[in-house]
Amino acid sequence: VGELPLKTPDGRMVRHEDVADITQTAGRYLILHDDAQRLQVVTAQVQGRALSSFVRAVKKRIAAQVVLPRGTYLVFAGDAAEQARAERDLLLHSAMAAVGVALLLYMALGGMRSTVLVFANLPFALAGGVAIVLATGGVMSIGSLVGFVTLFGITLRNAIMLISHYRHLVEIEGVPWDKAAAIRGAAERLSPILMTALVTALGLLPLALTSGAPGNEIEGPMAMVILGGLITSTVLNLLVLPTLALRYARFDRQTDNTA
């Protein structure tokens, strides 16, 4: 290395050892640069907790205990940043989709009361999904969020089936809207709702049983959330929603629902 030639500004050739002290010592084996700035990468493998909470804790501790030299700054990148971006995009698109679904349901069901009753089934599904997340460590991942979005779609479908059947009984068949009609509608929609939940659960069961296995980091938590939410939403949809509909819904044979 000392014999390597170096060209001076005036065109002369000198050896490296003539202008620098070259010694062998221990030090960094790789010096990275990004946009003409020195770069040092620090990695961590997070297990047993959510990446988002880990990053928040690290930022808080660094801000309280570390004084960075002038010209030095931190950038949190990798899976944590990508997951945060994916979560924001998923929540934004889900909110936009929810608004569109609400408008379509309002036009299809003919009133605000029926639309609110359909959306009232969402907490039933949320309870089971949250319980599964807490039981499996309380880590909210991208797979879990996707599972909640999918679960809400399934549970809304079951609620629509029940409310639309109530409308059919009253407005088409002329059945008086009372307790007997609420029980009859729930009984007649028992089989379709149970079959929907059962087929979905059987299809997702293999993914749920292998949750956490390599290659199943997304599908496993998603399947667990959907299975947990299906249990509570199916049971409460058939027990609680008819009671709410009997109390708050308004069906009339000649006109659509009134808000």
Side-chain angles (χ1 to χ4, degrees):
V1 174
E3 295 293 332
L4 292 175
L6 179 65
K7 188 175 182 179
T8 62
D10 58 5
R12 293 185 301 114
M13 302 297 295
V14 298
R15 298 176 302 172
H16 273 72
E17 64 182 9
D18 295 334
V19 296
D21 295 328
I22 303 174
T23 59
Q24 184 174 354
T25 183
R28 296 173 59 182
Y29 68 92
L30 181 63
I31 301 177
L32 301 177
H33 288 80
D34 184 27
D35 291 336
Q37 293 180 321
R38 286 281 182 90
L39 173 67
Q40 176 62 52
V41 178
V42 179
T43 62
Q45 182 67 30
V46 181
Q47 295 180 347
R49 64 181 301 182
L51 275 175
S52 56
S53 64
F54 173 78
V55 171
R56 287 194 298 268
V58 170
K59 288 182 177 180
K60 183 177 180 180
R61 178 168 296 185
I62 290 177
Q65 302 179 5
V66 178
V67 178
L68 297 176
R70 184 172 182 152
T72 303
Y73 61 93
L74 301 177
V75 175
F76 291 86
D79 291 342
E82 294 299 326
Q83 179 174 321
R85 186 179 301 108
E87 289 178 356
R88 290 194 300 268
D89 292 341
L90 180 61
L91 293 176
L92 175 61
H93 296 157
S94 299
M96 296 170 60
V99 173
V101 169
L103 293 175
L104 292 175
L105 286 177
Y106 179 82
M107 292 185 292
L109 298 177
M112 184 60 69
R113 288 179 181 269
S114 296
T115 303
V116 172
L117 284 172
V118 169
F119 276 93
N121 202 34
L122 295 183
F124 303 160
L126 183 64
V130 171
I132 287 294
V133 172
L134 294 177
T136 55
V139 177
M140 182 66 71
S141 63
I142 291 294
S144 301
L145 291 177
V146 174
F148 277 112
V149 174
T150 306
L151 175 62
F152 289 164
I154 297 173
T155 191
L156 282 178
R157 178 185 180 275
N158 291 338
I160 292 170
M161 289 173 57
L162 185 59
I163 298 300
S164 61
H165 188 58
Y166 284 152
R167 288 191 60 193
H168 175 81
L169 290 177
V170 177
E171 299 175 8
I172 304 301
E173 298 187 14
V175 176
W177 179 236
D178 52 16
K179 181 178 179 180
I183 295 176
R184 174 186 169 183
E188 292 178 352
R189 282 294 172 262
L190 175 63
S191 295
I193 291 176
L194 288 181
M195 288 301 299
T196 299
L198 183 60
V199 171
T200 304
L202 290 177
L204 294 173
L205 188 58
L207 293 175
L209 293 178
T210 57
S211 180
N216 198 22
E217 294 83 1
I218 300 295
E219 292 83 355
M222 178 191 69
M224 295 288 290
V225 168
I226 295 176
L227 286 177
L230 278 179
I231 296 174
T232 56
S233 66
T234 302
V235 174
L236 297 176
N237 184 54
L238 294 171
L239 296 178
V240 178
L241 189 58
T243 304
L244 295 176
L246 183 63
R247 174 63 178 84
Y248 297 106
R250 299 291 183 269
F251 302 109
D252 186 81
R253 187 175 182 180
Q254 287 77 28
T255 59
D256 291 337
N257 296 13
T258 57

